[in-house]
Amino acid sequence: MSFAPLRCCEVESVYVRASPFPDGQTTTFMTWWRCPKCQQLSGDMGSVIPVIPSPSDPIDPSTRDACGTLPADPIVAARDAEERGLLRRALAILDLAIEMTPDDPIAYAVKGRELLRMSFPEHAVTLLRRAIELGDTTSATRGWLGLALTDTAEQLEAVPLLQTAIEDELHGGIFWHGWVRLLVRLNRIDEADTELARALVLELDPRWRAGLLTERVNVLCARKQPNEALQAADEALRLAPASPYARYVRGRALGLLGRLDEAEAEMERILRDAPGYADATRAKQLYATARQRMQSKDRR
């Protein structure tokens, strides 16, 4: 259960991704692994509860036993475990660190970032707020809080946090991407376009440049410019060929062009390469339904 890599064909499987499972709930997640020999996908489930361990909401004894002794540097150990896909271990280490030093903000902030990457924004907000309450007022942690708030009902609170974070950008473009993404989600399309022009002239990490280009696709789709959107999506995929979201927005542009077979195929590829991608599941169904309706009209 993601305390060690899953095995298949007598070898360790390769970590693919993690996401809430079943889709739409806020307590459990699936870690997906792929066998390098047979390409079979396997999943193992974990829990993000407790979000903040306490006497009234303690760490599960089996989790404590599986984690063992708290590492000498729990933050480094947790980050290493996360990079290897050992998410239950990473979360358990951070929970033990919070339990041992409940007034130290670092473990709260690191766990908040991890849960945001796993698509649990509400829990990330809880942890990042707690880190700030305990004295972590760095622009980075406040910026991460802005990223988390973007995917909650408290979106507007993210605006000043991300505005400040882009001025002190420390992560190669993550906050610029988050800022533009927030503007798109607030339907402030003209502002998003202006900020994209500012951001894309900067020297950014390729993955965040790709992320910005995916938001450019969204801006162009909102303006009903699907040909230009498709070009931006292709550039994003060139920079980040493994990005499921870049492929997702490419499908969106293809859908606006009426190329529904290709749009549906993009969603199928996402679901093959990034299992559990709920938006792709929904989009695939929409494109399939639209395609069937068009075929029915053609036969009349």
Side-chain angles (χ1 to χ4, degrees):
M1 295 287 286
S2 63
F3 281 102
L6 296 186
R7 295 183 64 84
C8 181
C9 299
E10 300 183 347
V11 296
E12 287 189 356
S13 293
V14 177
Y15 170 62
V16 178
R17 69 188 299 264
S19 60
F21 189 89
D23 179 43
Q25 54 70 55
T26 59
T27 59
T28 54
F29 64 93
M30 187 71 78
T31 306
W32 296 97
W33 303 82
R34 190 184 300 277
C35 175
K37 286 190 175 182
C38 71
Q39 299 301 304
Q40 177 69 38
L41 274 171
S42 302
D44 89 70
M45 190 174 285
S47 173
V48 297
I49 303 300
V51 176
I52 297 178
S54 66
S56 61
D57 196 6
I59 302 169
D60 185 270
S62 63
T63 299
R64 189 187 301 276
D65 292 343
C67 185
T69 305
L70 186 67
D73 190 332
I75 303 305
V76 170
R79 286 172 174 160
D80 177 67
E82 182 187 3
E83 288 176 3
R84 296 169 60 203
L86 307 180
L87 299 177
R88 285 194 69 204
R89 176 170 176 76
L91 293 173
I93 290 170
L94 293 169
D95 283 345
L96 288 172
I98 290 170
E99 184 181 69
M100 292 279 290
T101 55
D103 295 327
D104 187 340
I106 296 176
Y108 296 91
V110 173
K111 187 179 179 185
R113 295 184 187 192
E114 181 173 336
L115 288 183
L116 182 57
R117 286 188 287 265
M118 293 168 63
S119 300
F120 290 99
E122 292 86 359
H123 295 329
V125 167
T126 297
L127 286 152
L128 291 161
R129 286 196 195 280
R130 182 62 176 149
I132 291 168
E133 289 168 2
L134 290 170
D136 183 352
T137 57
T138 61
S139 61
T141 294
R142 293 174 64 82
W144 274 90
L145 176 58
L147 297 177
L149 287 164
T150 297
D151 291 318
T152 72
E154 302 168 285
Q155 283 182 326
L156 289 176
E157 190 181 338
V159 172
L161 296 171
L162 288 173
Q163 280 180 316
T164 300
I166 61 172
E167 303 306 326
D168 299 317
E169 180 66 76
L170 301 172
H171 292 73
I174 186 172
F175 295 133
W176 268 107
H177 171 245
W179 170 232
V180 174
R181 181 173 179 268
L182 172 64
L183 292 173
V184 170
R185 274 140 192 78
L186 291 172
N187 203 33
R188 290 159 59 169
I189 299 302
D190 290 343
E191 288 178 74
D193 192 39
T194 299
E195 296 299 84
L196 274 166
R198 289 180 64 199
L200 288 171
V201 300
L202 303 175
E203 292 186 11
L204 302 174
D205 183 292
R207 63 177 169 163
W208 299 121
R209 181 173 295 278
L212 285 162
L213 287 167
T214 64
E215 296 306 328
R216 178 158 174 73
V217 176
N218 289 325
V219 167
L220 291 166
C221 285
R223 290 178 166 175
K224 306 298 188 225
Q225 296 175 262
N227 286 301
E228 294 86 346
L230 185 58
Q231 293 175 5
D234 286 339
E235 187 178 352
L237 275 171
R238 180 181 61 79
L239 290 170
S243 167
Y245 190 66
R247 194 162 296 284
Y248 176 83
V249 295
R250 186 176 195 274
R252 183 184 181 193
L254 288 166
L256 282 178
L257 286 166
R259 294 159 60 177
L260 299 178
D261 287 347
E262 293 173 76
E264 188 179 350
E266 292 289 14
M267 300 306 125
E268 289 173 349
R269 178 165 176 178
I270 292 170
L271 293 170
R272 185 178 66 247
D273 296 342
Y277 202 101
D279 286 346
T281 300
R282 288 187 285 268
K284 180 179 181 298
Q285 293 170 345
L286 287 171
Y287 292 138
T289 300
R291 178 171 50 79
Q292 290 165 4
R293 286 175 179 168
M294 289 183 65
Q295 290 171 346
S296 296
K297 288 181 181 178
D298 291 341
R299 287 194 294 266
R300 291 173 185 172

